[in-house]
Amino acid sequence: MAFDYDLDFDNINFREQPELYRVGRGEQGVLMVEPYKSEILPCWRFKTPEIAKDSADKIYQKYLEYKENDDFIGMDMARNFFKWVIPGLVAMQTIKVEKNMTSTVK
């Protein structure tokens, strides 16, 4: 079943009503599903590689907490946020390497 954008996301607590949750394609709904969004979003940072690494660690810890509590929705939401941090971290590392390479080639 597809992700349902017609649900009243402002008033649904998916921890209390997990039967309403649908796994979407990619990261569909990741910024809509409460209380998970509010629990994970503060951990999601990627301004620098160090901050992104710390963010990835925090989100992974959230994933493990949800797993410990058999909370599939929390695990899926953490996985989606984690997927957003990793490409940013890789991109920053690539930019850092490219800057180092261009600064040494003069």
Side-chain angles (χ1 to χ4, degrees), residues 67-84:
K67 183 177 179 183
E68 174 89 16
N69 292 310
D70 294 323
D71 187 339
F72 173 79
I73 300 171
M75 291 168 56
D76 191 49
M77 293 292 292
R79 179 188 61 83
N80 280 315
F81 273 95
F82 192 76
K83 284 178 14 182
W84 281 358

Side-chain angles (χ1 to χ4, degrees), residues 14 26 55 65 82:
F14 284 89
S55 178
E65 290 172 23
F82 192 76

Side-chain angles (χ1 to χ4, degrees), residues 46-97:
F46 49 88
K47 186 174 183 177
T48 67
E50 295 77 22
I51 291 171
K53 168 78 169 80
D54 185 54
S55 178
D57 291 342
K58 288 178 181 176
I59 293 171
Y60 182 63
Q61 287 306 310
K62 284 282 191 198
Y63 174 87
L64 293 176
E65 290 172 23
Y66 295 133
K67 183 177 179 183
E68 174 89 16
N69 292 310
D70 294 323
D71 187 339
F72 173 79
I73 300 171
M75 291 168 56
D76 191 49
M77 293 292 292
R79 179 188 61 83
N80 280 315
F81 273 95
F82 192 76
K83 284 178 14 182
W84 281 358
V85 170
I86 297 304
L89 183 56
V90 170
M92 283 185 283
Q93 291 294 3
T94 302
I95 291 168
K96 186 177 178 181
V97 168

